[in-house]
């Protein structure tokens, strides 16, 4: 069964691996490869609508969402009051960067004590809330929609390089099953083994294909 985050279809995965679509391992491999790629991208890539996120602010003009591939900002509220949409815009969908047109966002965090307190350390106080849509409609979401309603017209808009990157990752996961992932070469004659210094679940070719959507700047959970 498909999951909403699956970056490819059962048929395409089966064709790539040259196995029947009934292969019992396929659904789990597709999900694992899709999640590995999303982890590498730095955000959940499947379409999510009306996500509400509280965002810390250092008092500058920019807010950073945890999400990437942001499609639109629905609203921004500060201390319960909605900020007019004309006062900000989505400067970078990939990085989830929101720029204030007219000045700085209010500082959220700790202040110094005294008669004239000063901003000390920013953290997420829950004061700033952003509602937004992010991600792409994945083949998994398309499959789920069709399963629920055969007349569904929902189609995937996941970029083709991301689906190919997921297929490459899936192939690597399948070929590496049952092997030590840190062993990258063996020499039978001399009995030598070469060990990887750093092994990632997403192969280099998949990373190259997905790099235009990679989010290098990430905000951790406060």
């Amino acid at each position: 069964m498909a999951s909403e985050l699956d970056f490819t279809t059962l048929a395409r995965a089966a064709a790539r691996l040259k196995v029947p679509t009934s292969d019992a391992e396929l659904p789990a491999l597709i999900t694992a490869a899709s999640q590995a790629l999303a982890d590498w991208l730095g955000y959940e890539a499947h379409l999510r609508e009306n996500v509400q996120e509280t965002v810390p602010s250092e008092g500058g003009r920019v807010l950073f969402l945890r999400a990437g591939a942001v499609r639109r900002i629905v609203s921004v509220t500060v201390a319960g009051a909605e900020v007019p949409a004309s006062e900000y815009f989505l400067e970078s969908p990939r990085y989830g960067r929101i720029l204030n047109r007219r000045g700085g966002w209010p500082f959220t965090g700790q202040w110094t004590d005294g008669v004239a307190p000063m901003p000390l350390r920013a953290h997420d106080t829950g004061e700033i809330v952003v509602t937004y849509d992010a991600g792409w409609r994945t083949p998994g979401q398309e499959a789920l929609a069709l399963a629920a309603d055969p007349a569904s017209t929902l189609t995937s808009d996941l970029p083709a390089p991301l689906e190919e990157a997921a297929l490459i990752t899936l192939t690597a996961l399948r070929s590496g099953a049952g092997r030590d992932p840190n062993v990258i070469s063996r020499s039978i004659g001399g009995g030598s083994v070469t060990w990887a210094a750093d092994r990632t679940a997403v192969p280099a070719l998949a990373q190259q294909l997905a790099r235009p959507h990679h989010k290098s700047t990430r905000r951790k959970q406060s």
Side-chain angles (χ1 to χ4, degrees), residues 187-192:
S187 176
I188 297 176
S192 65

Coordinates of all heavy atoms in Angstrom, one line a residue, residues 187-192:
S187 N 39.0 -7.4 -1.9 CA 40.0 -8.1 -2.8 C 40.1 -9.5 -2.4 O 40.7 -9.8 -1.3 CB 41.3 -7.3 -2.7 OG 42.3 -8.0 -3.5
I188 N 39.6 -10.4 -3.2 CA 39.6 -11.8 -2.8 C 41.0 -12.4 -2.7 O 41.3 -13.1 -1.7 CB 38.7 -12.7 -3.8 CG1 37.3 -12.2 -3.8 CG2 38.8 -14.1 -3.5 CD1 36.4 -12.8 -4.8
G189 N 41.8 -12.1 -3.6 CA 43.2 -12.7 -3.6 C 44.0 -12.3 -2.4 O 44.5 -13.2 -1.7
G190 N 44.0 -11.0 -2.1 CA 44.8 -10.6 -0.9 C 44.0 -10.5 0.4 O 44.5 -10.3 1.4
G191 N 42.7 -10.8 0.3 CA 41.9 -10.8 1.5 C 41.7 -9.4 2.1 O 41.4 -9.3 3.3
S192 N 41.8 -8.3 1.3 CA 41.7 -7.0 1.8 C 40.3 -6.5 1.7 O 39.5 -6.9 0.9 CB 42.6 -6.0 1.1 OG 42.2 -5.9 -0.2

